[in-house]
Amino acid sequence: MGIIRVNDIKIFTNHGCLEEEAKIGSEYRVDLEVKTDLNISAKSDDLDDTVDYVLLNKIVKEEMLIRSKLLEHVAQRILDRIFKESQMVEEATVSVSKINPPIGGNVGEVTIIMSQQSKS
């Protein structure tokens, strides 16, 4: 078993429950971790034998651009696509952070973290 991390994916998009958030948008950060068997690719040196982190980054960026009211909804879509598009992933954890959220105080970020295991 091994771990692939794609950290600090920065995206400007428009999630949130408030109308203003839909109009003006906010900065977000996504961190992703997937667990998979890295033994085969460590020996073969072949991209087809591992989880492609370019694909993981693409999934995150595409799903983050689809507006949702809740960060949990976005995170679940990211997890669903990871398992749909890469059968090699055994477990995945995604954290989605809204930078400087409009919650009436001096808060640097709000983060949700969700994990899921493969159903196979």
Side-chain angles (χ1 to χ4, degrees), residues 88-104:
M88 296 181 72
V89 175
E90 296 175 23
E91 185 177 339
T93 300
V94 63
S95 68
V96 180
S97 301
K98 180 183 279 193
I99 311 301
N100 297 317
I103 60 174

Side-chain angles (χ1 to χ4, degrees), residues 104-119:
N106 187 9
V107 177
E109 64 185 40
V110 173
T111 302
I112 63 98
I113 302 170
M114 294 179 66
S115 296
Q116 186 171 315
Q117 293 183 340
S118 172
K119 295 177 182 151

